[in-house]
């Protein structure tokens, strides 16, 4: 996934104009491959505390506020998520608003809301502090949310790292290059990749200096926007980008294996007879037909997803169940290929790298009957451009197999967006290193959705 920080000079107090500008920047970022765009602190109104205090009703929003409709629609249209920071209307009976980050998903729905915990200076007279940590998972990556002064409290980043977060998203309004530079230490001290969207312009007694940027876990700065030093023509809008694909939670991550399984006993069914409406690929060398087996609940969700596709498109089922022995063989063969290509890699690195493309046998979603490899085809069964063939490895595809890979042709990106929307709405989750791999009920699904346990454990096909 490519993620972006946007900085621009908001129109003070004009929520409609600023939301429209955000939608435009989000669309622009999506066109350059971004799957997530982060905006600065209080960018929906501009960082002007007196302005918000004078009209706490008009200057505050909720997640479903009609004035945010352009952003929600841009998210849906581009399949891109957004972090919009604004004065969030009080929830739970409070009287004062919060400084809130609204995370809007690629479907336009709210993913989570984070309220700034550590207020600074005059913010304490206008806003109420939040009480919960900011966390969300998008594209297989666990993100931490922090707002401006939150990032001055070392424990905030320490807790994020301990909680499995790989990337920290900061919506801020810092006034100096010196303060912005401190994000390098946060990244280095806690092993986090950091993306900063920093405000610009003067708001009341405070000024934002721009300089939005990105830092690797090593502390190296890899992206930087311009510094704001005074009025400029237009709104000075700028986007900065960073690649976070190596922060994806892989199948080899211990957090996946740690998910408990409470086997529900759901049977494997043969999709060829149980769902004649589902097109099944015919090029499988599997005389026993194990590839066509799938848990009944997964199949029902596939059929629901197919019903939601636009006219002229349908799903093509490629592979479902994979016996544990075959899974082990595939994993070991790919690990051997990597070992030959990278003789200096240690066993742990080989194991992690192999799991980008083949799941470790002990937790494999395919061997639980909960995973399916599939693609889109026309109503007549003709293939459409998905960017790579199904089962293209990271090496063969130069990384284009990743679901949110940059530099895809627009038509391939659009087809992936259609597939993602249909399957996500049906309750499946994607393995982000393989655009074609989707699952339900397995350990990876449980981790991605926050479920307490997996529904499906490893299974041997009966009578085969």
């Amino acid at each position: 996934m490519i993620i972006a920080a946007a900085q621009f000079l908001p129109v003070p107090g004009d929520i409609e104009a600023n939301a429209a500008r955000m939608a435009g920047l989000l669309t622009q970022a999506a066109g350059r491959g971004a799957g997530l765009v982060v905006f600065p602190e209080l960018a929906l109104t501009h960082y002007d505390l007196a302005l918000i205090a004078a009209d706490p009703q008009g200057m505050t929003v909720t997640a479903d506020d009609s004035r945010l409709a352009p952003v929600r629609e841009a998210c849906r249209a581009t399949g891109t998520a957004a972090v919009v920071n604004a004065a969030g209307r009080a929830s739970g009976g409070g009287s004062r608003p919060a400084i809130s980050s609204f995370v809007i998903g690629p479907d336009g729905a709210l993913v989570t809301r984070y309220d700034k915990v550590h207020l600074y200076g005059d913010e304490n007279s206008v806003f109420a502090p939040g009480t919960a940590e900011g966390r969300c998972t998008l594209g297989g990556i666990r993100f931490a949310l922090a707002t401006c002064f939150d990032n001055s409290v070392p424990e905030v980043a320490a807790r994020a790292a301990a909680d499995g977060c790989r990337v920290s998203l900061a919506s801020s309004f810092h006034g100096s290059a010196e303060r912005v530079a401190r994000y390098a230490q946060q990244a280095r001290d806690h092993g986090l990749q950091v993306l900063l969207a920093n405000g610009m312009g003067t708001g009341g007694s405070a000024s934002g200096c721009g300089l939005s940027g990105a830092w690797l876990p090593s502390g190296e700065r890899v992206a930087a926007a311009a510094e704001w030093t005074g009025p400029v023509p237009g709104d000075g809008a700028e986007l900065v980008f960073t690649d976070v694909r190596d922060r994806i939670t892989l199948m080899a991550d211990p957090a996946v294996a740690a998910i408990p399984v409470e086997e529900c006993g759901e049977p494997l069914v043969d999709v060829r007879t149980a769902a004649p409406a589902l097109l099944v690929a015919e090029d499988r060398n599997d005389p026993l037909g194990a590839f066509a087996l799938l848990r009944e609940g997964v199949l029902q969700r596939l059929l629901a997803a197919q019903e939601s596709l636009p006219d002229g498109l349908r799903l093509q089922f490629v592979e479902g169940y994979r016996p544990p022995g075959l899974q082990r063989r595939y994993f070991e063969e790919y690990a051997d290929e990597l070992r030959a290509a990278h003789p200096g890699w240690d066993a742990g690195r080989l194991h992690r790298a192999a799991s980008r493309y083949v799941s470790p046998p002990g937790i494999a979603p395919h061997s639980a009957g909960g995973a399916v490899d599939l693609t889109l085809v026309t109503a007549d069964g003709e293939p459409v451009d998905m960017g790579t063939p199904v089962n293209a490895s990271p090496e063969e595809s130069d990384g284009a197999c990743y679901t949110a890979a940059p530099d895809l042709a627009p038509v391939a990106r659009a087809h992936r967006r259609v597939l993602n929307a249909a399957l996500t709405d049906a309750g499946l989750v994607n393995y982000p290193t393989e655009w074609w791999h989707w699952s339900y009920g397995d350990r990876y699904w449980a981790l991605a959705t926050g479920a307490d346990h997996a529904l499906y454990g490893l299974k041997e096909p009966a009578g085969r």
Side-chain angles (χ1 to χ4, degrees):
M1 178 189 284
I2 304 297
I3 61 176
Q7 66 178 43
F8 71 104
L9 191 61
V11 180
D14 194 336
I15 290 177
E16 289 88 348
N18 295 328
R21 189 68 179 107
M22 289 177 175
L25 288 168
L26 190 149
T27 301
Q28 181 183 339
R32 296 169 63 182
L36 170 67
V37 182
V38 182
F39 293 95
E41 184 176 24
L42 294 177
L44 197 61
T45 55
H46 194 34
Y47 187 96
D48 189 327
L49 305 186
L51 184 73
I52 296 167
D55 185 7
Q57 188 68 19
M59 293 294 103
T60 59
V61 296
T62 58
D64 59 354
D65 195 298
S66 62
R67 293 171 292 179
L68 285 174
V71 180
R72 290 193 292 266
E73 179 52 37
C75 289
R76 278 192 293 268
T78 62
T80 304
V83 180
V84 176
N85 194 277
R89 199 160 298 159
S91 57
S95 59
R96 287 188 292 168
I99 299 178
S100 304
S101 285
F102 296 95
V103 182
I104 302 170
D107 59 354
L110 181 71
V111 175
T112 192
R113 166 179 167 168
Y114 166 67
D115 293 343
K116 182 178 181 180
V117 173
H118 301 279
L119 301 177
Y120 180 77
D122 291 342
E123 292 172 358
N124 287 281
S125 63
V126 180
F127 299 102
T131 58
E133 307 280 13
R135 304 284 186 266
C136 67
T137 299
L138 294 163
I141 300 170
R142 188 158 173 79
F143 291 97
L145 302 163
T147 304
C148 205
F149 193 57
D150 285 333
N151 295 285
S152 294
V153 180
E155 292 77 13
V156 170
R159 287 195 298 269
D163 198 26
C165 296
R166 308 294 179 85
V167 181
S168 179
L169 306 175
S171 296
S172 300
F173 197 79
H174 298 304
S176 71
E178 178 185 11
R179 177 60 192 88
V180 168
R182 295 180 195 170
Y183 283 93
Q185 183 175 352
Q186 181 192 88
R188 191 166 49 246
D189 287 352
H190 303 288
L192 294 167
Q193 194 156 339
V194 177
L195 180 71
L196 165 68
N198 196 47
M200 53 194 294
T202 300
S205 60
S207 293
C209 67
L211 292 172
S212 299
W215 291 261
L216 297 179
S218 65
E220 177 189 0
R221 187 165 189 169
V222 291
E227 184 173 11
W228 186 86
T229 56
V232 294
D235 64 4
E238 190 172 354
L239 293 161
V240 295
F241 299 83
T242 189
D243 191 336
V244 293
R245 280 177 290 177
D246 64 353
R247 310 304 284 172
I248 289 170
T249 299
L250 297 173
M251 290 286 184
D253 194 295
V256 179
I259 297 290
V261 177
E262 295 184 13
E263 173 61 55
C264 68
E266 197 173 281
L268 290 167
V269 296
D270 191 319
V271 302
R272 296 170 296 185
T273 54
L278 192 63
L279 182 65
V280 178
E282 298 177 353
D283 58 346
R284 302 297 304 181
N285 183 21
D286 181 3
L288 295 178
F291 82 97
L293 300 177
L294 202 61
R295 296 280 191 155
E296 192 172 40
V298 183
L299 177 56
Q300 294 307 312
R301 286 166 174 80
L302 289 188
L303 294 174
Q306 179 157 273
E307 286 296 315
S308 73
L309 290 173
D311 290 343
L313 291 174
R314 62 189 300 195
L315 298 177
Q316 184 179 52
F317 177 100
V318 176
E319 183 180 16
Y321 177 73
R322 190 180 295 158
L326 183 60
Q327 181 72 30
R328 184 174 299 105
R329 193 189 94 198
Y330 284 173
F331 185 81
E332 291 172 353
E333 288 175 349
Y334 183 51
D336 287 343
E337 290 179 22
L338 293 176
R339 187 178 294 107
H342 305 281
W345 285 6
D346 62 27
R349 185 171 182 181
L350 282 168
H351 188 77
R352 289 190 298 274
S355 78
R356 296 170 304 159
Y357 181 57
V358 186
S359 173
I363 54 92
H366 277 292
S367 296
V372 57
D373 296 339
L374 45 69
T375 186
L376 285 178
V377 295
T378 67
D380 296 327
E382 294 299 315
V384 301
D385 185 1
M386 300 298 294
T388 76
V390 172
N391 289 328
S393 73
E395 291 75 25
E396 292 168 338
S397 67
D398 194 24
C401 60
Y402 282 65
T403 306
D407 303 324
L408 292 174
V411 66
R413 184 177 293 117
H415 285 146
R416 290 191 188 185
R417 190 180 305 137
V418 169
L419 184 68
N420 292 357
L423 293 169
T424 299
D425 286 350
L428 286 86
V429 301
N430 173 241
Y431 189 43
T433 64
E434 300 176 335
W435 61 261
W436 57 84
H437 177 109
W438 291 79
S439 68
Y440 170 83
D442 62 295
R443 282 183 163 115
Y444 198 86
W445 164 86
L447 184 66
T449 61
D452 291 336
H453 60 272
L455 306 176
Y456 307 144
L458 301 187
K459 195 170 180 68
E460 293 288 351
R464 292 175 185 261

